[in-house]
Amino acid sequence: MRSDQMKKGIERAPHRSLLKALTYTDEELNRPIIGIANSANEVIPGHKHLGDIAEAVKAGVRMAGGTPMEFSTIGVCDGIAMGHRGMKYSLPSRELIADSVEIMGTAYPLDGIVSVCDCDKIVPGMMMAMLRLNIPAILVSGGPMLAGRIDSRAIDLITVFEGVGARASNKMSDEALRQLENEACPGCGSCSGMFTANSMNCLSEALGLSLPGNGTVPAVMAKRLRLAKTSGMKIMELVAKDIKPRDIATGKAFENAIAVEMALGSSTNTVLHLPAIANEAGIKLGLNLFNEISERTPNLCRISPAGEQHLEDLDAAGGIPAVMSELNKKGLLHTQLITATGVTVKENIRAARNLDPKVIHPIDSPYSPDGGLSILFGNLAPDGAVVKKSAVDKSMFVHEGPARVFDSEEEAMKAIMGRKIKKGDVVVIRYEGPKGGPGMREMLGPTSAIAGVGLDRDTALITDGRFSGGTRGAAIGHVSPEAQEGGVIAVVKEGDRIRIDIPGKSLELLVDREEIEKRLAKWQRPDYKVKEGYLYRYAREVTSASTGAVFKKD
């Protein structure tokens, strides 16, 4: 066993003595040691209950003959960090989480690891660590929050964000906004729509790194704890068979994940996280691959914010296995791949059924014949930009309008809330990328405010920053190269015409090439906005959004 490095032989008597101070017996130490990386805390609604999830995992490990050892990681709630300095730390926290799990999994030579997590950057950070360590591993999420309710209407966190814009434009009273605030988030779990956390938990199933149900079983259900116990037992099987993450998350497995992503119409942030996770296994996921898979993969689901359903509805309809079963009817998946269940994708979805065609459209009657995300290229985004096509009104699929240029989220929010943005405008928010932000803030505030004031079907928003999975409307993010790196977005001027063509996958600044080159020649790189601490180190080391915003390898 790998753990023998710290517990076997005469020379390890001091090590055993320290472990016995933790109350472990000789019998426990003779068993495989399973690390439980638990990101539980009391500042994220999706993580408050993870102590219970971890206890269930540990019970499963013990039932299957292993010894669990729990340790913790940090975590940031994007919703609570939104709109202030804290959001600069959200994406950078992904790298710290991966590093911390790597450190613990190496300082203590574990035989296997179970990652217990739930929310935005914690899930991909855990999966990055799993592939980096490459010891038997499985991911267990805390599950999605239930949708809130007002009368018969399902609501969620995005309803509240959009309510802020509605209140600012006097379309909603203080009392109505307070009711949304009180009812939208009814309890623990990751926010209930197809936002980043739930998108990544669903894609962990598609990658094969978690058990079926991991992405959709609600946090409050007993089934969630049973799933955690089963995962604890299953890690022991993976250890016995020496099935490691890189055996599971192969290039073809990432193709499966992208196909499921397109069927779901998941968060644009997945286009940051999947390449970053793949990078840990030496797999390059170019942005063109996302478009190639999108072109052949129909969009089957419209979960909030793209539609009215929530994760609990997707779970009741059969969950990710049912989505994969629909895709497999057209041969759109690689089904012979091994997964964390110990068997293949084909075996995992053999008994899956689509129990609600209103939630999961049948493969022969999809919402659209292509996927829910699109990567756009053009002179404004030579290395790519991403849009959640499934959440864009069709009237905005092709749009041309004047640029309204802002050098920060705060400037843009002030203009939106001050009713200075008009129908047809293309709001450009720059210097919010990985380096320029720094930290590539998630800007749910501006997109929700635009929706709240009723301009989401008339106004586009383009940024080198990123958006929440809860964003809807013609919101195009991850523009690469970013402004801080001298991308063309840095030289867009107020009033320049910008053309968006989502079906044509293009994003163009309608200024002639010679003029763009003149502007770039005069452009001077600004200083980093932050010059100390972790963010300063992050800004110097992080790469482009088009490569997953990972750290430089040299």
Side-chain angles (χ1 to χ4, degrees):
M1 291 186 290
R2 187 170 181 265
S3 60
D4 287 350
Q5 298 172 53
M6 66 175 176
K7 66 184 186 183
K8 288 291 186 181
I10 296 173
E11 68 279 10
R12 294 296 180 255
H15 304 63
R16 291 193 296 274
S17 183
L18 288 168
L19 290 167
K20 287 177 179 179
L22 295 167
T23 75
Y24 293 110
T25 64
D26 285 326
E27 182 178 346
E28 287 174 300
L29 295 179
N30 284 331
R31 296 174 179 178
I33 305 296
I34 307 299
I36 312 297
N38 184 6
S39 55
N41 60 47
E42 294 184 351
V43 292
I44 306 177
H47 288 227
K48 183 174 174 59
H49 66 304
L50 292 188
D52 293 336
I53 300 293
E55 287 301 322
V57 171
K58 289 189 283 186
V61 169
R62 293 188 184 104
M63 283 190 286
T67 297
M69 293 185 179
E70 183 179 345
F71 59 90
S72 61
T73 75
I74 63 168
V76 173
C77 174
D78 279 20
I80 298 173
M82 195 77 64
H84 58 85
R85 179 180 169 83
M87 181 48 73
K88 291 179 181 288
Y89 287 85
S90 176
L91 182 60
S93 75
R94 185 188 70 181
E95 315 309 309
L96 285 175
I97 291 160
D99 290 350
S100 68
V101 176
E102 175 198 355
I103 288 169
M104 293 299 286
T106 307
Y108 303 87
L110 306 168
D111 296 303
I113 193 164
V114 180
S115 296
V116 179
C117 51
D118 211 15
C119 290
D120 290 7
K121 308 309 165 296
I122 302 96
V123 176
M126 291 284 202
M127 286 196 277
M128 289 168 67
M130 289 162 65
L131 284 166
R132 189 184 300 173
L133 286 167
N134 201 35
I135 60 175
I138 193 167
L139 185 136
V140 180
S141 86
M145 184 185 293
L146 295 176
R149 299 256 167 200
I150 291 181
D151 299 324
S152 61
R153 180 168 67 108
I155 60 173
D156 54 45
L157 180 65
I158 306 310
T159 318
V160 189
F161 270 100
E162 293 182 359
V164 172
R167 177 65 193 90
S169 58
N170 293 316
K171 294 181 178 181
M172 179 178 286
S173 67
D174 287 335
E175 293 76 13
L177 180 59
R178 177 59 64 89
Q179 187 180 20
L180 288 180
E181 175 186 327
N182 289 337
E183 302 297 335
C185 299
C188 65
S190 48
C191 297
S192 57
M194 191 55 74
F195 315 141
T196 305
N198 291 325
S199 295
M200 291 308 304
N201 281 322
C202 288
L203 296 188
S204 72
E205 287 190 49
L207 268 175
L209 292 175
S210 64
L211 300 188
N214 182 69
T216 60
V217 174
V220 296
M221 287 189 173
K223 186 178 179 181
R224 171 58 58 181
L225 292 175
R226 295 200 301 272
L227 181 65
K229 287 182 182 178
T230 304
S231 297
M233 291 185 280
K234 189 60 66 172
I235 188 64
M236 296 303 295
E237 181 181 331
L238 298 180
V239 169
K241 295 180 178 178
D242 196 30
I243 298 174
K244 298 184 286 292
R246 294 187 195 179
D247 300 324
I248 294 169
T250 62
K252 290 187 183 301
F254 278 99
E255 290 181 12
N256 281 353
I258 295 172
V260 172
E261 174 183 49
M262 295 305 169
L264 294 174
S266 58
S267 166
T268 53
N269 284 312
T270 58
V271 181
L272 272 180
H273 299 319
L274 286 178
I277 297 164
N279 178 67
E280 298 292 345
I283 299 169
K284 184 176 180 180
L285 294 185
L287 294 186
N288 279 316
L289 179 62
F290 286 82
N291 275 343
E292 290 170 14
I293 294 176
S294 177
E295 287 173 4
R296 62 176 182 258
T297 308
N299 179 219
L300 305 180
C301 301
R302 291 285 169 91
I303 308 299
S304 175
E308 298 299 318
Q309 286 98 15
H310 290 80
L311 264 290
E312 62 207 75
D313 302 307
L314 179 58
D315 186 63
I320 301 307
V323 174
M324 295 179 75
S325 178
E326 289 290 346
L327 293 176
N328 195 44
K329 291 175 182 178
K330 297 287 187 180
L332 297 173
L333 297 176
H334 305 289
T335 60
Q336 299 305 316
L337 308 179
I338 194 69
T339 72
T341 62
V343 298
T344 64
V345 172
K346 183 177 181 179
E347 291 299 314
N348 286 344
I349 65 175
R350 184 185 298 279
R353 298 289 181 272
N354 183 353
L355 302 176
D356 191 342
K358 293 180 181 178
V359 177
I360 305 172
H361 276 212
I363 193 75
D364 290 323
S365 57
Y367 281 104
S368 66
D370 55 358
L373 297 182
S374 289
I375 311 299
L376 311 184
F377 295 93
N379 67 355
L380 192 51
D383 294 340
V386 62
V387 63
K388 188 169 184 173
K389 181 174 73 74
S390 60
V392 179
D393 190 84
K394 289 185 178 180
S395 66
M396 289 294 292
F397 274 16
V398 177
H399 178 76
E400 181 182 319
R404 303 296 309 280
V405 183
F406 305 95
D407 287 346
S408 70
E409 176 186 359
E410 288 81 3
E411 291 179 18
M413 274 297 287
K414 186 176 180 180
I416 296 166
M417 299 298 280
R419 309 302 298 275
K420 293 181 180 179
I421 303 302
K422 307 301 181 186
K423 289 185 178 182
D425 285 349
V426 178
V427 177
V428 176
I429 306 178
R430 62 193 180 191
Y431 294 105
E432 289 288 2
K435 287 182 176 293
M440 203 180 185
R441 283 192 287 182
E442 186 172 278
M443 288 182 282
L444 180 57
T447 57
S448 296
I450 284 173
V453 300
L455 290 174
D456 55 300
R457 296 186 179 185
D458 305 287
T459 303
L461 198 156
I462 296 172
T463 183
D464 54 6
R466 62 190 180 90
F467 297 115
S468 163
T471 291
R472 62 184 175 95
I476 299 165
H478 308 194
V479 169
S480 301
E482 62 173 292
Q484 187 74 24
E485 291 282 85
V488 173
I489 193 173
V491 296
V492 177
K493 292 184 177 181
E494 186 83 6
D496 283 349
R497 304 290 292 182
I498 292 175
R499 181 174 173 80
I500 300 162
D501 183 352
I502 295 175
K505 297 180 174 58
S506 71
L507 180 62
E508 296 286 338
L509 175 64
L510 301 181
V511 173
D512 66 64
R513 181 176 177 181
E514 183 177 339
E515 172 62 19
I516 291 173
E517 290 176 353
K518 284 181 181 178
R519 294 183 190 180
L520 288 171
K522 294 178 181 178
W523 175 81
Q524 292 185 333
R525 189 188 314 277
D527 288 340
Y528 291 123
K529 293 177 183 175
V530 179
K531 297 181 181 179
E532 61 184 9
Y534 178 60
L535 281 183
Y536 182 47
R537 286 184 280 134
Y538 180 85
R540 288 183 298 165
E541 295 299 321
V542 73
T543 60
S544 169
S546 63
T547 56
V550 296
F551 282 166
K552 298 173 184 174
K553 287 198 171 183
D554 56 353

